[in-house]
Amino acid sequence: ADGGSGTGRAPEQTRPEDKARWALPVDYALGPDFCRSVDELEGVSRERVLLVAMWILVGRPVTDDHPLRSSKAGGAPAVTRVEDGVEWVCRRAPLQQSSPSARRLSYWRSFSGQIELSRVTLHDDLTP
């Protein structure tokens, strides 16, 4: 029994005493391509996308999360945008590892900590 997760193991849960520490923020957003990218998703489970998205939203660390670079060059600057005077940095959180086709969750983080989930994409796709 896997608790319905489809992974062969029990789903991860937050203990009651951790719910205040890992609370879902009230000011996060879904970008215009997020739901479509999840609907069209292949090669990784929706459960994995939702788990990583929740970690990002509540501020839990995601291994190998990093800024999206504007090109494949190692020293390329991070992809940013300015909206209503607020600067945002695009970041990538891995959903899979060790493959050019590994899926990534792209999201925007403002310097004040607000999050906008952008889309699920392939590792080599540099579009935010």
Side-chain angles (χ1 to χ4, degrees), residues 37-105:
S37 73
V38 173
D39 283 345
E40 296 172 356
L41 184 63
E42 294 179 3
V44 66
S45 71
R46 285 184 181 203
E47 289 82 7
R48 177 68 181 162
V49 174
L50 294 175
L51 177 64
V52 172
M54 291 306 297
W55 286 346
I56 290 166
L57 290 172
V58 302
R60 292 181 72 163
V62 177
T63 302
D64 294 330
D65 180 295
H66 61 279
L68 175 64
R69 299 290 172 196
S70 56
S71 75
K72 292 184 181 185
V79 174
T80 61
R81 74 176 195 214
V82 176
E83 187 174 294
D84 296 328
V86 176
E87 186 170 357
W88 297 75
V89 175
C90 188
R91 299 190 60 86
R92 286 273 172 96
L95 300 170
Q96 300 170 306
Q97 299 289 337
S98 304
S99 167
S101 64
R103 278 34 172 211
R104 299 290 187 256
L105 175 56

Side-chain angles (χ1 to χ4, degrees), residues 16-37:
E17 60 269 23
D18 290 336
K19 288 187 179 186
R21 179 178 180 200
W22 302 117
L24 189 63
V26 296
D27 59 352
Y28 72 93
L30 301 180
D33 297 324
F34 183 75
C35 292
R36 181 191 49 75
S37 73

